[in-house]
Amino acid sequence: TQQQLWYTEAYMVNTVGSYQTKFWHRNLIPIKQALLLTKEQQELIMGSLLGDGTMQIGSGAINANFKVEQGLAQREYVEWKYKILKPLVSTEPKISYRYKESGERYEKSWWFRTMRHPLLTAIHTEFYRKKDGKFKKVIPINLKSHFSSLALAVWIMDDGSYSRGKIDMSTYSFTLEEIRFLQKCLKDNFAVVSKYFMDRNKGYRMYCNTTETKKLIKIIRPYIISSLRYKIGFGNPVTTEFLWCNTGE
């Protein structure tokens, strides 16, 4: 089922003229005109934007694109996202390289980005605000309405970590007000209660205690890919046995 969650019909009417601008390669026009984001694609993008995902409207561009980039060990995760977003992407995932001071090149990460599109611009409008001439990621005020189990799972796969029966989430880039709003969305949508703490001078991290972590794992486990199961505690025999015995599986 394809749905329009982040944009309105009026928005589409106002942006349709950009389909014919010089910013769009002529061969891509028919493809972009036919695109409609599925519910799954939108939820994946939303979950990623709570985590490591980024969007950009480049210099001179009209519309936004969405970028996925993860460490070399997360190739399976990048390919999983690519498979879902493939209709929006013109090139397959590739390796990003960096250079040492000596000039030696080394592999840094796996990444891909989507085409630019008005539908993505609509999401960018919700998740970014301009400050001091630059766009900064924010928590959208309509998050609660679209905060699904899949989006939650993607957020945990992006920025979650598991230790001693607890899951915590990196929320360094968000304000305390935004974190409190995230907590409310998590509680209202999934009945999962979370807390937060200041992580040295980095910023705030959210976390769930052991009881709430068990509830969280039940919700997101069906979506967690095999290579990232360690993020919900399935990384070693001791942890796995504990979870199987305590989550009602």
Side-chain angles (χ1 to χ4, degrees), residues 67 152 188 244:
K67 182 179 180 181
L152 176 59
D188 290 350
W244 278 97

mmCIF file of all heavy atoms in Angstrom, residues 67 152 188 244:
data_model
loop_
_atom_site.group_PDB
_atom_site.id
_atom_site.type_symbol
_atom_site.label_atom_id
_atom_site.label_comp_id
_atom_site.label_asym_id
_atom_site.label_seq_id
_atom_site.Cartn_x
_atom_site.Cartn_y
_atom_site.Cartn_z
ATOM 1 N N LYS A 67 20.552 10.424 2.420
ATOM 2 C CA LYS A 67 21.822 9.702 2.365
ATOM 3 C C LYS A 67 21.919 8.695 3.503
ATOM 4 O O LYS A 67 21.609 8.991 4.652
ATOM 5 C CB LYS A 67 23.005 10.673 2.449
ATOM 6 C CG LYS A 67 24.370 9.990 2.340
ATOM 7 C CD LYS A 67 25.500 11.006 2.405
ATOM 8 C CE LYS A 67 26.865 10.324 2.293
ATOM 9 N NZ LYS A 67 27.980 11.303 2.380
ATOM 10 N N LEU A 152 10.946 2.739 14.703
ATOM 11 C CA LEU A 152 11.625 2.548 15.984
ATOM 12 C C LEU A 152 12.779 1.571 15.849
ATOM 13 O O LEU A 152 13.882 1.802 16.368
ATOM 14 C CB LEU A 152 10.611 2.048 17.018
ATOM 15 C CG LEU A 152 11.140 1.697 18.410
ATOM 16 C CD1 LEU A 152 11.820 2.898 19.065
ATOM 17 C CD2 LEU A 152 9.995 1.182 19.286
ATOM 18 N N ASP A 188 3.759 7.030 24.538
ATOM 19 C CA ASP A 188 2.391 7.067 24.017
ATOM 20 C C ASP A 188 2.146 6.024 22.932
ATOM 21 O O ASP A 188 1.074 5.415 22.867
ATOM 22 C CB ASP A 188 2.078 8.458 23.456
ATOM 23 C CG ASP A 188 1.965 9.515 24.547
ATOM 24 O OD1 ASP A 188 1.932 9.145 25.737
ATOM 25 O OD2 ASP A 188 1.932 10.710 24.205
ATOM 26 N N TRP A 244 15.825 -14.950 25.918
ATOM 27 C CA TRP A 244 14.811 -15.957 25.573
ATOM 28 C C TRP A 244 13.996 -16.368 26.811
ATOM 29 O O TRP A 244 12.832 -16.690 26.734
ATOM 30 C CB TRP A 244 15.453 -17.193 24.973
ATOM 31 C CG TRP A 244 15.746 -17.028 23.539
ATOM 32 C CD1 TRP A 244 16.929 -16.663 22.968
ATOM 33 C CD2 TRP A 244 14.844 -17.213 22.445
ATOM 34 N NE1 TRP A 244 16.816 -16.592 21.602
ATOM 35 C CE2 TRP A 244 15.545 -16.937 21.249
ATOM 36 C CE3 TRP A 244 13.505 -17.591 22.357
ATOM 37 C CZ2 TRP A 244 14.960 -17.026 20.001
ATOM 38 C CZ3 TRP A 244 12.923 -17.677 21.097
ATOM 39 C CH2 TRP A 244 13.648 -17.390 19.950
#
